[in-house]
Each structure stands twice: as C-alpha cells, then as structure tokens.
Amino acid sequence: MEFAKLPSTDVPAPPTKDESRSVRKYRIRTRKACEPCRKRKKKCDGKEPCDICIGYGYTCSYTRRNFERNSSSTFTQPSVSRKSTPSESEYPFRGERLPLGTPYPSSSGSLPVSQSTTFPGGATNIIKSRPHMFEPFKCRFMASHSAVAFPRSLALDLKSKNPLRLHSFAWNACLRPETTKLVHRAIREYVSLEAVMEYGGVYFELIHPIYGVMDREDFYDRALRYWQCQGTEYTETIDFEAVIAGVVALGSFFSMSKPCQAESVLVDFARQVLDLGISHPPASLSNHQPVAWILRTLYLRLTTRPHIAWLSSCLTMHVIEALGLHREIETLDLTVRGFPQPNAADLDKRRRMFWVAWSVNLIVSAESGRSPVHIDSWDVRMIDIRPGDDTIHLVELARIIYETEPKSPNTTEVISINNALIRIKSLPDNRSAFSMLKADVAIHCFRRHRIRILKLLPDDETLMLEIIRAALTEGLSLAEHQQPWWNVISTNFQSICVLLSIDSPDSLALLPEALSTLEKVVNIFNSHLTREALRTALILVESMEERKQEQINTLHGATNQTMRELARSPSPSPTRFLNPTEPNPMFEQDLSMFEFSTDNNAVWAQFFDADSMMDNMGGSAIIP
C-alpha cells in the first residue's frame, strides 16, 4: 500500500568534495548536541529535532553554548521548526510517508490548530486537532486519551522538566518474563490431572466469577475423560487442550506461593494450538477456541504489553464472528438437515462466549487507545443470571464504554460523564477485582471527558473521587492477598494521574493516600515496571508542586508590589468608634441654618399636604 508523500522542502545541493571531507571529519561525534541528549549522555546527531528526541518524545532544544558549525566547511540539513506547517517536521518520519490516520494538509497549506464549540452556560468544548499518537520507531498508534498516552500528555500539560516518553507505564506488575519459545506436545506430558484440579480451583475461585465463560462441572468432566482416555478413544478436539493450558496458566499466575513450573510452557502450547485455527490449513474451528482465546487474552493482559493483549482480544472477536456466535442460532440458516437443536445450557454458553469476548475487547481497546472490533449485524440475547456471578456486571461496564464512545471521529457532541459515573457506582462491589474494573472504566470515561471538556462538574468530581477512593482500598487488599491483577498497579497509577489532572482541593487531598497505596503495592510486587510506575508518579507530583510554587511566587510578587505602593502613600487616620452615650463633636456644630422660621409654617404645611400641592399644580395626587 502506497502512502501519500509530504510536500517537499528546499534541500541544499549535494556537498562538494571538500565539504564531504569535512563531513567525514565530524561524522564520529557531533560537537552540537541538544540539551536532552547532553543531559542524558545520548549520542546526538545535531539535527533539529534530533532522532533521539523524536524517538523518546523529548523536547529538542539548543542553548547558546551549542555553537553552530561554519556552513562553508560542513553540510547540514536545513533547520525546520516543529511548529511549521505543512512540512516534514510536522510528522517526524524523515518526511517520506504519512502514517495511516494522519490528516492530510489542507489546500491552504496549513492544518487547523483546534476546533471549539460553545454550549449554553458558556462551557466550551475543545477538540484537539491531533487526538491520536504515533510512535515512529516502534510503529505504535494509539489515541491520546489512552492509558498509555495519558502520563505523557499530563506531563506536557504540567510542563514537566522530565518529559515522559510514550510508554506503557504501570501496565501490569511484570511478574513473569515474556515467552519466546514454541513447544508443542500433548498437554498431559506437561501437567498432571492433579495439577489441573489444583490450579483449576484457583482459576474458578478468582477469575471465573468475573469472566464466566464456561461451566465448572463441564470443564472438570471433560478434563477427567481426557486423562482417562488414550489415543484415538478421546473424541474432543485438540482445542480443549488449549483451554486446559489456559486455565492452569492463569491459576498458576495467581498462586504466588506455589506456581506451576510448566506455566510458560503451557502458555506456548496454547499459542501453538490456537495458531492452527487462524494460520494453518485447514484452520479448523470449534467452540473451545473462543474460550481458549479469552483465557489467553487475560493472561497476556496480566503479563505482557498493550499491543499484544489488544491484538489477542481482536482475534478473539474475529473467531467469535467466524463461529457465528454473534447471532442467535435460530436466525442462522443451517446447511445440515437434522442437526440437533442446542439446549438451554448450550445457548447460554454461546452467549457467554460472545459477551465476555466483546467486553474484554472493549475494555482492553479503551485502555490501549485502539479501536475495538465492530461486528456488523450482531444480535445476541443477554446471558442468564447465576448466583455469585459478576459476568453480567462485566457486560454492563463494557456497555457503558460502548455507549459513551463518540458516534463519529470528529464529533463535537458532549458525552455526559455524569450518567456513566452514576451507572458505574451503582454496580455491586461483591469482589475487589470487580471494584478495580469499575475504577478502570470510570478513569477511561474521565480521560475521554478530559479531551473535550476542561473541568469536571462538582457532582461528577465527587462521584469520581468516591470511585477512586474505593479502588485504592480494594487494590491494596488485593495486593496484600497476593492477587496480582493488572489493575492493582495500573488503576492506582492512573488514579494519581486523574487526581493531578482534576487539580482541586479535594482531589489533591487524596494524593497522599494514593501515593502511599502505590508504594505499598510496589513493595509487595517489586519489579522494574512497578518501580518505574512509582518513580513516574513522583515526577508528575513534583511537576505539579513546581507549578503550584510558581503560582504562589506570582501571587507573592503581586502582593509585595501592592504593599510597597501603599507604603509610599500617606495612610488615613483610623476612624474612632462612636459611643452613643458620649457627645459627638460631629453634631456639635451650629445648626441654626437648618432652623425653620415660624412665619413660614403655613408654607411648610402646604408642602407636606399632597392634595393641596397637586391642586396648585393643576393635577391630582395619587396616594398608594
């Protein structure tokens, strides 16, 4: 696929022979380094902006001590400002191609800075012209309101001295190394039936109540028949082995004191089995594949990077569509006559696979700043309610995300966050992990709200702070019980960002508790990503403190100047309080000028007689 090229700029002629020698003389090390590269001791190429600053998102700048070389002895690229439009500097890709989704320059030669719409009451809805971000070195695209882009966006708003790179801060606790090997043998060669029962118990206790995609008794029954039957006697497809691998891997992940030694091998085994259904002929499908894909997506969300987890959730939805699970069975035209009709339990299982996959895809896409998979003409009834099952509440959270998304990319419609927060808060807090999910969705709504409206209304702020306060308590409880859900670290970090962004007395008063909770979680789940999250949070708080200090200094300067001006001018004598029992000199002056002559009593009587006064004026007096 060809990309549109940017308008070309004037480039100097090729260097002469003498100039080429000068270039080779200084090619090893440039004597013109920008401030970020000089501070971090990076190898700067001397361009403006340089490649290092473009790659890490730093603000490239040069001070007066960075002398310029003589143009007659060296060949240099033309210096282009990052704010000039349209030019190659507007898109930091060395000016060759435009990334997908980037708006093309208008015919007038400039790009709009912002669009604004005024609403009743004076509120202004501001839509930034670039609501998406693209990291050119890693070729990663995401929306500006995503959890990944939010810390960097906030640091830029705070004018932090330590600009943050576009990075997945606090994405998870990073307690397992990312797998690289691919092994494929029978599942029974890696794990015993006893281990399946042990780690399956952990899975059905902690994960299944929220992501209830299968039946516990049915799983144990199939696993038992798999180990009892050998060879061709077993009628289940190999896809069920991927389900077993996913259940054991997730149960092992939450068994902090005694994890399964074959956990990473089982994850690779499931990946190879699932790959057979999407990459290799005959690409056979079964109803076990959506379940295995959902389990794999949850494991990837817990252990690896946003891009990989998002892709897995999208592949799950494509498998859902390929299996026709997005439609009710009676609406499908079956090509095989006499096919047995599914019972009520089978129908509920089909619906659960769709709704859980749909919910996970929406939540992961919202956090990653990517688009979820949109399936045309889907029509699925809601799942049955089970005692102690929060899956239906998970679907409700996903529906809030779905309903608060803008109808079009460039819409100026204001999405009401108040209704979303009320619905989120009304959902039950039966489990700590689900309370964290509620906070995740609320924070996502705030990030999208922040892109369009600058400040929260007081009622919305109160709801937001209540949800965050509950999440801090539940997150610490999960950490103390050794349950490393991704939002134990992610929600806590994002909550700190939200509190700083709200910037109100109530939100800032909650900061000490949020930082203390994050520090305790880091001490429990000590990894390089958790420590990085704590350092980043402290950087953001320090940036806020510096901004507040600058505002205080400005106020001090204004008051000091006013006091100096008052000191130079004479001050009036203070007024003495009057005592009603003592004579007041103000009333001791001669009042004879106000004494009325007795000769004029008739005149004054006529003055106070309204009727006679109006008669003399030829009118009538109106007495109210």
Side-chain angles (χ1 to χ4, degrees), residues 316-326 354 373-376:
T316 306
M317 288 303 297
H318 291 306
V319 172
I320 289 287
E321 184 178 15
L323 287 168
L325 300 179
H326 62 299
F354 171 81
V373 174
H374 297 282
I375 299 179
D376 294 335

Side-chain angles (χ1 to χ4, degrees), residues 239 271-286 289 293 319 322:
D239 298 331
R271 176 167 63 92
Q272 185 184 19
V273 172
L274 293 176
D275 191 57
L276 295 175
I278 61 174
S279 302
H280 303 283
S284 301
L285 296 174
S286 72
Q289 284 194 16
W293 272 110
V319 172

Side-chain angles (χ1 to χ4, degrees), residues 424 434-444 464 467 471 491:
I424 293 171
F434 185 75
S435 298
M436 303 300 290
L437 278 176
K438 290 171 56 177
D440 287 342
V441 177
I443 291 174
H444 164 72
M464 192 74 209
I467 295 173
T491 305

Side-chain angles (χ1 to χ4, degrees), residues 20-250:
S20 300
R21 292 175 181 175
S22 299
V23 172
R24 287 193 294 269
K25 180 178 179 180
Y26 294 96
R27 182 170 296 172
I28 298 177
R29 181 179 180 182
T30 179
R31 298 179 63 186
K32 179 185 177 183
C34 65
E35 284 302 301
C37 291
R38 185 185 299 275
K39 180 178 179 181
R40 294 168 176 81
K41 297 182 179 179
K42 300 289 186 180
K43 186 176 180 181
C44 184
D45 56 9
K47 298 176 183 178
E48 187 177 356
C50 67
D51 289 342
I52 296 295
C53 291
I54 292 176
Y56 287 93
Y58 301 143
T59 302
C60 190
S61 60
Y62 294 84
T63 59
R64 294 181 179 179
R65 63 181 178 180
N66 303 121
F67 66 93
E68 297 181 358
R69 300 176 192 168
N70 192 332
S71 60
S72 61
S73 60
T74 58
F75 168 67
T76 59
Q77 293 282 353
S79 177
V80 186
S81 172
R82 294 181 68 90
K83 296 183 179 180
S84 59
T85 56
S87 66
E88 295 179 357
S89 63
E90 190 68 28
Y91 310 96
F93 312 114
R94 289 288 160 259
E96 291 298 330
R97 297 175 178 177
L98 280 170
L100 289 176
T102 305
Y104 290 96
S106 60
S107 58
S108 61
S110 62
L111 292 172
V113 177
S114 64
Q115 299 176 357
S116 62
T117 305
T118 303
F119 297 91
T124 303
N125 179 28
I126 299 177
I127 302 179
K128 297 182 179 180
S129 59
R130 302 192 188 282
H132 306 103
M133 291 187 179
F134 183 82
E135 212 281 83
F137 284 179
K138 296 182 180 180
C139 296
R140 293 291 182 261
F141 164 88
M142 64 195 63
S144 299
H145 65 269
S146 66
V148 178
F150 185 36
R152 182 177 184 272
S153 175
L154 180 61
L156 293 177
D157 290 346
L158 298 175
K159 298 181 180 180
S160 174
K161 296 180 180 178
N162 296 290
L164 303 178
R165 58 190 174 119
L166 195 61
H167 180 64
S168 54
F169 294 107
W171 183 252
N172 54 46
C174 192
L175 300 179
R176 295 291 186 274
E178 295 180 345
T179 58
T180 56
K181 297 181 180 180
L182 178 63
V183 181
H184 178 54
R185 289 184 292 179
I187 187 71
R188 60 172 62 93
E189 298 182 28
Y190 298 118
V191 65
S192 64
L193 179 61
E194 292 74 15
V196 173
M197 297 299 176
E198 176 184 357
Y199 295 111
V202 177
Y203 168 83
F204 283 104
E205 178 185 358
L206 300 179
I207 304 172
H208 176 73
I210 301 176
Y211 304 92
V213 72
M214 56 182 170
D215 182 75
R216 180 200 299 256
E217 300 301 328
D218 181 68
F219 171 79
Y220 283 139
D221 180 65
R222 291 176 184 271
L224 182 60
R225 286 191 288 109
Y226 171 78
W227 256 267
Q228 290 176 345
C229 301
Q230 300 291 333
T232 58
E233 297 178 2
Y234 182 64
T235 58
E236 291 285 357
T237 63
I238 193 176
D239 298 331
F240 182 67
E241 297 184 47
V243 175
I244 296 176
V247 169
V248 175
L250 286 171

Side-chain angles (χ1 to χ4, degrees), residues 455-473:
K455 290 293 184 181
L456 284 176
L457 296 176
D459 293 342
D460 300 339
E461 179 183 336
T462 301
L463 288 171
M464 192 74 209
L465 296 184
E466 290 177 356
I467 295 173
I468 289 177
R469 187 176 289 105
L472 295 177
T473 303

Side-chain angles (χ1 to χ4, degrees), residues 334-370:
L334 301 181
T335 59
V336 178
R337 293 185 178 182
F339 190 82
Q341 293 295 324
N343 55 32
D346 293 335
L347 291 176
D348 185 63
K349 183 178 179 180
R350 284 176 53 92
R351 294 162 186 160
R352 283 181 174 272
M353 285 188 287
F354 171 81
W355 285 115
V356 173
W358 181 78
S359 302
V360 171
N361 178 238
L362 272 173
I363 293 174
V364 174
S365 298
E367 293 178 316
S368 306
R370 306 280 181 84

Side-chain angles (χ1 to χ4, degrees), residues 469-520:
R469 187 176 289 105
L472 295 177
T473 303
E474 300 296 341
L476 182 58
S477 175
L478 288 173
E480 292 174 345
H481 287 82
Q482 298 289 306
Q483 296 183 23
W485 288 96
W486 63 79
N487 36 29
V488 168
I489 184 72
S490 175
T491 305
N492 199 328
F493 175 81
Q494 291 288 322
S495 297
I496 294 174
C497 295
V498 170
L499 296 177
L500 291 172
S501 181
I502 294 177
D503 190 15
S504 69
D506 292 336
S507 68
L508 297 181
L510 194 56
L511 265 179
E513 180 182 349
L515 285 172
S516 176
T517 303
L518 180 59
E519 184 179 5
K520 293 176 182 178

